[in-house]
Amino acid sequence: MTVAEWHSTLFQCIGTIVSLLALGASIVAVILTYKNLSEMRKQLSEQQNQYFEQNRGNLIFYIQKSSIGVTHDLIIKNFGNSPAKLLSLCITPDLDWSKAGHSDVDEFNITKLNNIFLAPQQHIGTVFDFTNFEETELDVEIRYSTCNKEFREQYKVDLNYLHKVFTLEPKIDNELSALKYINKSIEALSEKFI
């Protein structure tokens, strides 16, 4: 083997080694790029889910003590940022509307409502008197649709806490404080009807 042949063989070996190293580096780059793209896709999916959760409609059924009398307000409110459509509300055990204190209140039975459109922060409600109600828990199932998706949520409402709500009566010292209280009462009342 001549010196020229030996140099040629050496350069071919070096070229082959460099090519193999470049191939290895390319394979590592492809793997890292794939992992990076997978991570970016995962982050994008999480951001889309987070955006959806922040902006979807969110219907919640709850009970609050009425500001007037012994009744309680049964309310369905859209706490979300998008409109939602109430598909159904099921309360177990059934509420006996004949004991609600009024003869025509059965037509305002909140569990009979369906296909009700609620804008963000809008609510619907009715009243119910739990004085003669013997059950201590209600099982609630609410179904609604928002942003072209349907949701079904189930939870319990503990009625033992309804009568343990602490309320304060306003202290009216003069006409100005009385007028302020009347104004706040009218605003609260109008929010329930609007």
Side-chain angles (χ1 to χ4, degrees):
M1 183 184 273
T2 64
V3 175
E5 290 176 343
W6 187 79
H7 282 307
S8 175
T9 306
L10 179 65
F11 284 130
Q12 286 177 354
C13 287
I14 291 174
T16 304
I17 291 171
V18 169
S19 296
L20 289 174
L21 288 174
L23 177 65
S26 297
I27 291 172
V28 169
V30 167
I31 291 171
L32 292 176
T33 302
Y34 177 77
K35 286 184 178 182
N36 190 21
L37 287 175
S38 296
E39 184 64 29
M40 287 173 55
R41 187 177 302 131
K42 180 180 172 185
Q43 287 177 357
L44 179 62
S45 176
E46 288 175 4
Q47 286 176 348
Q48 288 173 336
N49 286 338
Q50 185 179 21
Y51 179 79
F52 176 76
E53 287 297 320
Q54 288 175 348
N55 291 301
R56 74 177 178 92
N58 187 14
L59 294 187
I60 303 290
F61 168 81
Y62 64 96
I63 302 172
Q64 72 180 15
K65 186 170 174 54
S66 180
S67 58
I68 303 170
V70 295
T71 61
H72 289 82
D73 298 326
L74 308 178
I75 300 171
I76 299 172
K77 183 173 181 178
N78 183 356
F79 286 97
N81 293 322
S82 292
K85 184 177 185 180
L86 173 67
L87 301 175
S88 68
L89 173 68
C90 180
I91 300 174
T92 308
D94 288 334
L95 300 176
D96 186 1
W97 290 88
S98 64
K99 296 179 182 178
H102 300 285
S103 58
D104 295 333
V105 81
D106 188 44
E107 64 188 71
F108 298 103
N109 183 340
I110 201 164
T111 59
K112 291 182 180 177
L113 300 177
N114 55 21
N115 295 322
I116 304 292
F117 179 83
L118 293 171
Q121 305 309 312
Q122 186 180 23
H123 67 277
I124 55 174
T126 188
V127 295
F128 191 82
D129 185 1
F130 284 99
T131 305
N132 297 323
F133 196 74
E134 297 175 4
E135 302 294 328
T136 60
E137 278 189 347
L138 297 177
D139 292 320
V140 176
E141 178 183 301
I142 187 168
R143 285 184 43 241
Y144 61 95
S145 64
T146 180
C147 301
N148 297 323
K149 289 188 179 182
E150 190 172 311
F151 293 89
R152 179 177 160 258
E153 297 180 14
Q154 294 178 308
Y155 48 91
K156 292 186 180 297
V157 175
D158 190 350
L159 298 176
N160 289 322
Y161 292 103
L162 291 180
H163 304 291
K164 296 179 182 178
V165 176
F166 181 69
T167 58
L168 296 174
E169 295 293 325
K171 183 178 178 185
I172 300 175
D173 296 330
N174 53 34
E175 291 136 1
L176 181 61
S177 63
L179 288 173
K180 286 180 180 178
Y181 177 70
I182 291 171
N183 182 40
K184 286 181 182 178
S185 297
I186 291 172
E187 286 176 357
L189 189 60
S190 67
E191 280 184 18
K192 286 188 178 186
F193 292 112
I194 293 178

